[in-house]
Amino acid sequence: MVGIVSGMGHIVVPVHKMAPAVKFYRDVLGFKVVGKVDPVWTVVNAKGVELTLFRTTDPARIALGKEGEDSPFYLHVANFPRAAAALEKKRFRVKRFDDRQGIVWDPSGNVLGLHDHRKRAGSRPTS
């Protein structure tokens, strides 16, 4: 039997307003807009990760956990401490879990995980 799913369609990120969402995902995080910016649906892409920003008047926020301070997906960054500092400098709320991962809130309150794959000092390579 052939598998039912042939690929990922959309990871939908609900947003209040498209302009601040596009500015955050494109100009701050570095995603590229696929096609054109649309007032309701805008697709952004970064190294194989494709998100669909969907403007709605009552967005359900993407977040996990009792306090809403975790995310169902994590985005790779080259160096988490540097990425977190750059986001904080632009006045985005960041919570650091440790020196390699944490979360950031987008302008609509969605929680995005960020982490890097830097080797820890003194750690042995794993196979």
Side-chain angles (χ1 to χ4, degrees):
M1 179 173 154
V2 176
I4 295 172
V5 175
S6 63
M8 178 62 72
H10 298 272
I11 297 176
V12 176
V13 178
V15 300
H16 289 101
K17 296 179 182 176
M18 191 57 68
V22 169
K23 184 175 181 177
F24 177 75
Y25 286 89
R26 181 189 62 203
D27 302 342
V28 175
L29 295 184
F31 281 77
K32 295 193 181 345
V33 173
V34 177
K36 64 181 180 78
V37 173
D38 180 89
V40 179
W41 291 93
T42 299
V43 177
V44 295
N45 179 290
K47 292 189 180 184
V49 174
E50 199 163 88
L51 303 176
T52 300
L53 308 177
F54 171 59
R55 184 187 48 79
T56 179
T57 56
D58 188 23
R61 194 168 70 95
I62 295 173
L64 291 177
K66 184 178 174 184
E67 302 297 320
E69 292 193 346
D70 205 348
S71 179
F73 54 86
Y74 276 70
L75 304 170
H76 289 153
V77 295
N79 181 297
F80 175 71
R82 280 191 232 147
L87 289 162
E88 290 166 336
K89 186 175 180 178
K90 293 178 185 275
R91 302 200 178 276
F92 289 101
R93 182 177 166 209
V94 174
K95 181 174 182 179
R96 299 164 189 249
F97 295 144
D98 58 35
D99 68 335
R100 294 178 51 203
Q101 65 181 334
I103 53 177
V104 61
W105 283 260
D106 79 0
S108 294
N110 294 304
V111 182
L112 305 173
L114 302 173
H115 72 110
D116 66 38
H117 288 280
R118 291 176 302 125
K119 183 178 172 186
R120 289 189 188 272
S123 66
R124 294 187 326 204
T126 58
S127 47

